[in-house]
Amino acid sequence: MVIKRDKTPEYAQMCKSASAINENNDCTVKALAIAAGVNYYDAHDALAAMGRKKGKGAYMTQLFGALAKLGFEVTSVLHDQRIHNSSRPTTGTICNYKFIKDRATYLVQTSQHVAAIKDKTVHDYTNGRKFQVKAVWQLWRIK
C-alpha cells in the first residue's frame, strides 16, 4: 500500500493561515485543523483553551483535550513497536504503515512533531520523508 505523498492544498492553507498571524511551532494546530476538519484559527483557539502558548509546541494531552471539545475521541493504534507489519520489529516511518485504512483519520507522532493522515494522504511537511513514528492514534467523531 502506498500513501499519497503530494503536498496537499489543505496543508498549504494551514501554512498560509499560520503566517498570517506570525505563528510557528504549530504542528499540533495544523494536524488538529486537518484531522478535525476545522479551520486553522478554530484549531488554534481550541489548543489555546487547553493551555498551548503562541509560538510554542503543545503536549499530546492538550491536543486530545482540544479534540474532545471538538467532538472527537482518539484510539491508540500504535505505540512504539507493537503493530508494525515487518519481519523485524521496527517503528517504521510515517509513510510505510500497512494498517492505514481508506476513509480514516489518524494523528501520527514522531519525535517532537505531530502530523495528520486523512484518507491515506499525509497532510504535512513530513510527506514523503522518513520520520520515525513513535505513536499513532485514530480519530472517531462522537455522535
Side-chain angles (χ1 to χ4, degrees), residues 5-49:
R5 295 184 179 165
D6 300 329
K7 185 172 182 181
T8 65
E10 295 90 345
Y11 184 72
Q13 181 58 48
M14 296 300 132
C15 294
K16 186 176 177 181
S17 296
S19 292
I21 60 170
N22 199 29
E23 182 62 274
N24 57 17
N25 293 323
D26 62 340
C27 63
T28 51
V29 178
K30 292 170 183 163
L32 173 61
I34 291 168
V38 299
N39 70 49
Y40 179 89
Y41 305 108
D42 289 343
H44 192 274
D45 292 346
L47 279 166

Side-chain angles (χ1 to χ4, degrees), residues 27-103:
C27 63
T28 51
V29 178
K30 292 170 183 163
L32 173 61
I34 291 168
V38 299
N39 70 49
Y40 179 89
Y41 305 108
D42 289 343
H44 192 274
D45 292 346
L47 279 166
M50 300 274 66
R52 179 188 177 270
K53 305 289 185 216
K54 182 176 170 67
K56 303 286 183 184
Y59 294 103
M60 293 308 292
T61 54
Q62 293 170 323
L63 178 56
F64 295 153
L67 280 162
K69 286 192 180 262
L70 293 171
F72 289 86
E73 67 179 38
V74 182
T75 303
S76 178
V77 174
L78 169 79
H79 193 278
D80 293 328
Q81 301 181 16
R82 290 186 290 170
I83 299 183
H84 191 275
N85 222 353
S86 172
S87 59
R88 206 174 57 175
T90 177
T91 52
T93 61
I94 204 164
C95 294
N96 70 352
Y97 280 94
K98 300 193 182 326
F99 61 82
I100 301 294
K101 300 173 187 166
D102 289 334
R103 320 272 305 147

